Amino acid sequence: MRQRPVGTVTRGTTNPNRLRRVDRWLAGPQAWRLRRPGPPPVVVDLGYGASPVTAVELHDRLRRVRPDVEVVGIEIEPERVALGQALARDGLSFALGGFEVPLPRGGQATVVRAFNVLRQYDESQVAEAWATVQDRLTPDGLLVDGTCDELGRRSTWVAVDRHGPLSLTLSWRLRGLHTPSDVAERLPKALIHRNVAGEAVHGWLSALDRSWSHAAHHGSFGRRQRFLATVQALRDEGWPVLDGPSRWRLGEVTVAWDAVAPAA
């Protein structure tokens, strides 16, 4: 008997190019996971929504890193799966399922990208959803649980391996950026309700705003230079920033999970 998909149907709204920021990160700092010797890596677009466009784009972007990558779009709604199957091609397929990540022959995923999925769940359900997906990862696999706005101009995600969360990444379109903490409304479900005084993620966003304000004089050279100065100052203060200027220039910064983890 086929297992019933684990999860609930989401609203399913999406747009072309909406997930370009996280895809750029997967094809950049995380590309080593795809390039490891062995059989083709499997990357899952979990809960891709009413349109399969994000799965198609993911396949296009990742096959530049690993030409034989296998991308599987998984949806809990049969009608959405049928729409995806019409666009299936070599290296891109679609399947019915949920957080149990059903793959042929019980296969494991190198990456599971779940964007704007858990946002519609209760915070108390996050740990169980993560654990269910973690069981379906390869030993060096990664779950990417994230949220973004409708056009993908503000995006955040938590990287979770088989042992637990590793980091939080924030990504902005620098043009038009007012204050970094504007991204707070797009924090992943594990953190969005924790942006209050006394919580670590609130401290991180407050530090970003403060440093951004102090770096205002760099704005005469452009917002990119101002953002570079902002993040460098935070690193100098001791914040565990895990990436470097090549990522900051893209309007992206990753910090260790311990620095933003919710209070017990």
Side-chain angles (χ1 to χ4, degrees):
M1 180 181 296
R2 182 181 178 86
Q3 179 183 355
R4 181 179 178 181
V6 177
T8 58
V9 178
T10 61
R11 289 190 296 271
T13 54
T14 191
N15 281 303
N17 218 27
R18 187 182 185 189
L19 304 187
R20 62 192 178 278
R21 294 183 179 278
V22 66
D23 289 354
R24 183 173 60 189
W25 182 76
L26 290 172
Q30 303 304 314
W32 64 271
R33 299 179 190 274
L34 306 176
R35 292 185 175 128
R36 286 205 166 195
V42 177
V43 177
V44 172
D45 187 5
L46 182 62
Y48 55 82
S51 167
V53 63
T54 57
V56 174
E57 292 173 340
L58 181 63
H59 184 238
D60 287 341
R61 289 161 179 157
L62 295 190
R63 66 180 177 179
R64 299 169 192 163
V65 175
R66 178 76 182 252
D68 61 351
V69 66
E70 297 282 343
V71 171
V72 182
I74 293 180
E75 249 296 341
I76 203 169
E77 183 67 45
E79 290 79 5
R80 296 175 183 176
V81 177
L83 285 174
Q85 288 173 338
L87 297 177
R89 62 194 186 198
D90 186 32
L92 175 63
S93 60
F94 296 85
L96 181 69
F99 292 117
E100 79 282 6
V101 189
L103 295 173
R105 299 175 296 280
Q108 295 177 310
T110 301
V111 175
V112 175
R113 186 190 68 182
F115 247 69
N116 303 303
V117 176
L118 282 170
R119 180 177 178 83
Q120 300 176 51
Y121 286 69
D122 189 85
E123 182 184 358
S124 64
Q125 298 173 287
V126 172
E128 182 178 358
W130 280 4
T132 303
V133 176
Q134 285 171 286
D135 285 344
R136 306 298 302 127
L137 297 175
T138 60
D140 60 352
L142 198 67
L143 162 64
V144 185
D145 169 20
T147 306
C148 65
D149 66 9
E150 289 74 12
L151 298 179
R153 294 179 177 178
R154 297 175 186 169
S155 188
T156 74
W157 58 89
V158 179
V160 184
D161 70 5
R162 289 179 64 96
H163 305 290
L166 303 173
S167 62
L168 171 69
T169 299
L170 308 177
S171 182
W172 302 259
R173 180 176 180 262
L174 293 180
R175 190 193 316 168
L177 175 62
H178 178 57
T179 54
S181 65
D182 290 344
V183 80
E185 64 182 15
R186 298 296 172 175
L187 285 171
K189 177 58 73 170
L191 295 172
I192 194 167
H193 302 300
R194 303 293 181 141
N195 185 29
V196 294
E199 288 280 355
V201 71
H202 181 268
W204 170 234
L205 292 175
S206 297
L208 276 166
D209 282 354
R210 183 177 62 254
S211 187
W212 175 257
S213 178
H214 290 170
H217 60 287
H218 290 275
S220 59
F221 301 103
R223 289 183 179 273
R224 180 174 294 168
Q225 293 303 315
R226 183 177 178 181
F227 190 74
L228 285 166
T230 295
V231 183
Q232 183 61 61
L234 291 174
R235 171 175 276 177
D236 292 344
E237 288 178 15
W239 285 94
V241 176
L242 301 182
D243 50 15
S246 65
R247 306 307 300 180
W248 308 342
R249 294 178 68 84
L250 301 174
E252 176 187 302
V253 61
T254 297
V255 66
W257 178 254
D258 288 348
V260 295

